[in-house]
Amino acid sequence: MASRSLAQVGMKLLWNPATRRCAESKEMREMASRICRDYLHGAWKQVSSHDIVLKRISGGLSNWLYHVSLPGGEQALRGNEPSQVLLRLYGELHGGEHGVEGLITESVIFTLLSERRLGPCLHGVFPGGRIEEYIPARSLKTAELADPKLSPLIAEKMAEIHAMNVPISKEPNWLWDTMNRWLQNAMVTLKDPAPHTTPRNAHIIANIAKLDLAAEVKWLKKFLTRVNSPVVFSHNDMQEGNILLVKDCIPTRLVLIDFEYCSYNYRAFDLANHFLEWTYDYTLEEFPHYKAGRSDYPSPEQQLAFVRAYLQTARQQREHNCGGTVDTMTPGQHPTEEEAVLLKEIRAFTLSPHLLWGLWSIVNATVSQIPFGYWEYAEERLNAYFEAKAAFSSMCDSVGVKRKTDDVD
């Protein structure tokens, strides 16, 4: 019934950029109020298009976001209905069937996260978009990832994500498929870098072009598939910008957002990637708009505290799913065997985020309009990859992988 009502106001409005661009347009306000009336209860049933408070938050090719609230902060009249929501309108789908499949997968994942309170609450799904919880929150700052109160909470969130059973492919193909796709795009750019070369980045591009990145991807896959890290549902991008701290919430509540890269993946990738994000600050105002601080990498004590919180929550999730109970761990100064195994996995997987995001940065250097030092960042991540690889000679021996790239079949 709700979809029929919505159709009566004209679904074509959803695909009209002029309508979506202007939050003050009569058509946009009418559509937003009709959607909220159809899918929400309480005061939303009585509010008119003239009375709602509508503000566009962002808009692009993929999504348009609006903050919609009741007038004067009016509270809803029934149950737990919200007084403000986030209205998301989908943009044009690209990629044919793959684009539709991606949208369906993302919607399913968002719904599951909502049910488990791991992401924003889902208030409604309609043709062309959805209504989400509006969270008065802010993203964490890089330095806050090391906060001894927040870090264990992040570990718990990660463990809860990893415990999810999501109805998508369980094969850990995302890492290699994504890396190979970005590799192909990067190789095209590096084969003819002239259109993207400036006096500032010429030496960087020249140095990167000398690298055999295809051989590195091949070597890394052979190396990591022998590390034997369990495959779990992963976020794959747990950096500070994707972790929200809810304002004025006691006890402290964190909410994860931006599951663009989520997939089944090796558990150690998420942890290794998160630890590396301690060392990158993306809020620098001046070029290249990021700062690398390798000395900020978590200390052995900080790593152990994170891993301990992660594994404790992982046990609780397993026992909950099996209907049993779990004993509380007694923290010690030294890692248990289980903790030591995971820490070793993380050390090995430290290589993968460096190479992955290095390739990502090469690709984005040619297509992104965002002011960011993509070539500088690519150089930084690739240098870090080779330094980490050189430091792994003993680990390579322990898992039976040859050290030289050229020796890999």
Side-chain angles (χ1 to χ4, degrees), residues 330-400:
T330 302
Q333 293 182 342
H334 302 288
T336 64
E337 181 178 355
E338 183 182 22
E339 292 163 352
V341 167
L342 181 51
L343 288 168
K344 186 176 181 180
E345 285 178 36
I346 296 169
R347 286 194 296 273
F349 267 82
T350 297
L351 294 164
S352 54
H354 282 315
L355 187 54
L356 177 73
W357 300 122
L359 292 170
W360 169 88
S361 203
I362 295 173
V363 173
N364 277 274
T366 65
V367 298
S368 177
Q369 300 301 313
I370 298 174
F372 186 75
Y374 286 107
W375 285 113
E376 288 75 9
Y377 188 68
E379 180 182 45
E380 156 62 28
R381 296 307 297 255
L382 292 174
N383 285 342
Y385 163 78
F386 283 106
E387 290 175 18
K389 182 183 177 184
F392 269 84
S393 58
S394 60
M395 180 170 290
C396 289
D397 290 336
S398 69
V399 295

Side-chain angles (χ1 to χ4, degrees), residues 67-259:
H67 177 215
V68 190
S69 60
L70 293 169
E74 180 182 352
Q75 295 300 311
L77 303 178
R78 172 182 170 184
N80 296 319
E81 287 300 313
S83 59
Q84 55 184 341
V85 296
L86 184 71
L87 179 63
R88 181 184 300 271
L89 304 181
Y90 303 141
E92 296 182 28
L93 294 179
H94 299 280
E97 292 183 0
H98 293 291
V100 175
E101 180 182 353
L103 178 60
I104 294 173
T105 299
E106 194 270 343
S107 297
V108 170
I109 292 171
F110 188 94
T111 302
L112 292 173
L113 293 167
S114 171
E115 290 177 349
R116 291 163 173 76
R117 299 298 294 163
L118 296 175
C121 179
L122 179 62
H123 292 303
V125 177
F126 56 88
R130 64 178 180 245
I131 306 173
E132 305 172 11
E133 174 187 12
Y134 179 80
I135 302 176
R138 65 168 178 83
S139 300
L140 292 185
K141 300 175 182 177
T142 304
E144 290 177 310
L145 297 179
D147 187 305
K149 294 181 179 179
L150 294 178
S151 184
L153 297 180
I154 298 172
E156 293 170 7
K157 287 290 184 183
M158 184 181 291
E160 291 171 351
I161 293 292
H162 288 184
M164 291 179 63
N165 182 12
V166 179
I168 61 176
S169 173
K170 305 299 189 294
E171 292 299 313
N173 296 326
W174 174 85
L175 180 59
W176 310 120
D177 288 349
T178 303
M179 203 174 284
N180 280 305
R181 184 172 67 254
W182 289 345
L183 171 66
Q184 296 306 314
N185 292 336
M187 291 174 68
V188 171
T189 297
L190 294 172
K191 187 176 181 179
D192 181 22
H196 315 291
T197 302
T198 65
R200 178 158 54 185
N201 65 29
H203 68 289
I204 297 176
I205 297 178
N207 289 335
I208 293 177
K210 296 175 183 177
L211 303 174
D212 191 346
L213 296 175
E216 293 304 326
V217 171
K218 187 176 181 180
W219 178 89
L220 184 63
K221 183 175 182 179
K222 187 170 184 179
F223 173 57
L224 292 183
T225 51
R226 296 187 181 185
V227 174
N228 198 31
S229 182
V231 174
V232 297
F233 180 70
S234 304
H235 184 284
N236 294 324
D237 194 20
M238 283 190 67
Q239 46 107 331
E240 64 278 7
N242 293 332
I243 306 172
L244 301 184
L245 176 64
V246 180
K247 296 179 181 178
D248 304 322
C249 184
I250 300 175
T252 302
R253 181 190 172 198
L254 299 179
V255 177
L256 303 183
I257 60 171
D258 197 351
F259 281 76

